[in-house]
Amino acid sequence: MILLNNNFLKGVRTMKNQKKLFILSIASYLLFSLSCFLTICLSSSIPYLLIGALSCLFIAALFHLLGKKGRHNNFYFVSIVLTNLISGVSVGCYLYLEEHKLSLLEFLISLGIFLLLCTVLLVLHMKVVAKRNAMILSCGALLVAFIPCIYLWVSNGIYLYAFLSFSLIMNFFYNLSYVLQHKENSTLLRDFSFGSFGAFFIVTYLVLVLITDGDALELLDSVDVSTNSKNKNTISM
């Protein structure tokens, strides 16, 4: 009887967290979109925006490290807000360099698709109890949406699909926070903060690859080479 009560309480807690994540995902996406639009509108101040973004990244990392359960748990809100804002700066810089300004209609379309996907993910995670199945189904749903966006972006050069692709990357990392709620002792804000950092780094790296015509890919090659040479030296010793 006690075991049943514990499982019931755990299920209620998980469902509450998933609903909170649904709201948090939408709020974070709106911050990301707003930052993207402001970056495009303030194109003359992009050097200052980049300096500000780097400063925000440092502050976000600091608040994430200071965040703890209980009294300091709300510190994660700061890191979540800042990382989503600077992700928007990255995408905004890319769209500005491509000389494209997103219209209100494009934003509303992307917001509608994002809300639909968030609703699908919420239902999936509430209905599917097993963590592995929830992750496979939710990531599969995002992949089904992501592949057509990439194809239409590359083949037609329509930047609405570019923005949607970046949005889906953001949603993928938000989704990982849902998956982690199936674990014992998960911390909602900390998990979402980690996801926001992951989204920022992937989105920013993809932007660097695009604006440097693939030269940024050499960064990974250099990391692999240095890692392999280090391992060889260690083995030889």
Side-chain angles (χ1 to χ4, degrees):
M1 188 70 180
I2 295 174
L3 181 61
L4 287 173
N5 286 334
N6 287 339
N7 289 335
F8 175 76
L9 290 173
K10 181 184 174 184
V12 170
R13 171 187 167 275
T14 301
M15 288 179 65
K16 284 182 178 179
N17 282 351
Q18 288 166 348
K19 290 177 181 177
K20 288 178 183 177
L21 282 171
F22 176 77
I23 297 170
L24 197 54
S25 297
I26 295 170
S28 296
Y29 179 75
L30 291 174
L31 284 172
F32 162 73
S33 302
L34 176 63
S35 176
C36 181
F37 283 115
L38 287 176
T39 301
I40 296 171
C41 293
L42 300 172
S43 54
S44 59
S45 303
I46 278 185
Y48 301 105
L49 285 172
L50 292 176
I51 294 171
L54 288 173
S55 302
C56 287
L57 179 61
F58 174 77
I59 296 169
L62 180 63
F63 270 84
H64 179 87
L65 293 172
L66 291 173
K68 291 180 181 178
K69 282 186 177 180
R71 187 173 60 179
H72 300 302
N73 194 40
N74 289 332
F75 280 11
Y76 292 119
F77 274 119
V78 179
S79 61
I80 289 168
V81 168
L82 292 178
T83 46
N84 281 284
L85 286 175
I86 57 180
S87 293
V89 171
S90 295
V91 176
C93 287
Y94 168 71
L95 293 174
Y96 165 70
L97 291 172
E98 293 294 318
E99 298 181 349
H100 181 76
K101 290 187 177 181
L102 289 172
S103 66
L104 179 61
L105 178 61
E106 288 175 321
F107 168 69
L108 291 175
I109 291 171
S110 63
L111 178 61
I113 292 172
F114 186 87
L115 288 173
L116 177 61
L117 280 171
C118 280
T119 304
V120 170
L121 293 177
L122 177 64
V123 172
L124 275 174
H125 286 291
M126 290 181 71
K127 297 293 184 182
V128 181
V129 178
K131 182 176 75 172
R132 183 179 177 184
N133 293 341
M135 184 169 184
I136 291 172
L137 289 171
S138 57
C139 290
L142 288 171
L143 192 62
V144 166
F146 186 69
I147 291 174
C149 284
I150 288 290
Y151 174 76
L152 291 168
W153 175 16
V154 173
S155 61
N156 298 332
I158 299 175
Y159 288 100
L160 168 63
Y161 299 117
F163 187 68
L164 281 172
S165 298
F166 285 116
S167 300
L168 287 167
I169 292 172
M170 303 292 293
N171 208 348
F172 173 80
F173 282 92
Y174 298 159
N175 179 59
L176 294 181
S177 303
Y178 281 95
V179 174
L180 291 172
Q181 297 315 300
H182 292 269
K183 278 176 38 179
E184 291 268 358
N185 300 322
S186 61
T187 305
L188 184 147
L189 292 177
R190 182 185 62 191
D191 295 340
F192 201 90
S193 181
F194 270 122
S196 297
F197 274 106
F200 162 72
F201 285 116
I202 296 300
V203 163
T204 302
Y205 181 71
L206 180 57
V207 166
L208 286 173
V209 170
L210 291 168
I211 64 178
T212 60
D213 294 326
D215 290 343
L217 290 171
E218 294 178 4
L219 290 173
L220 288 180
D221 293 334
S222 62
V223 170
D224 289 339
V225 170
S226 62
T227 303
N228 290 334
S229 61
K230 184 178 179 181
N231 289 338
K232 286 179 182 178
N233 290 334
T234 304
I235 293 171
S236 62
M237 287 174 69

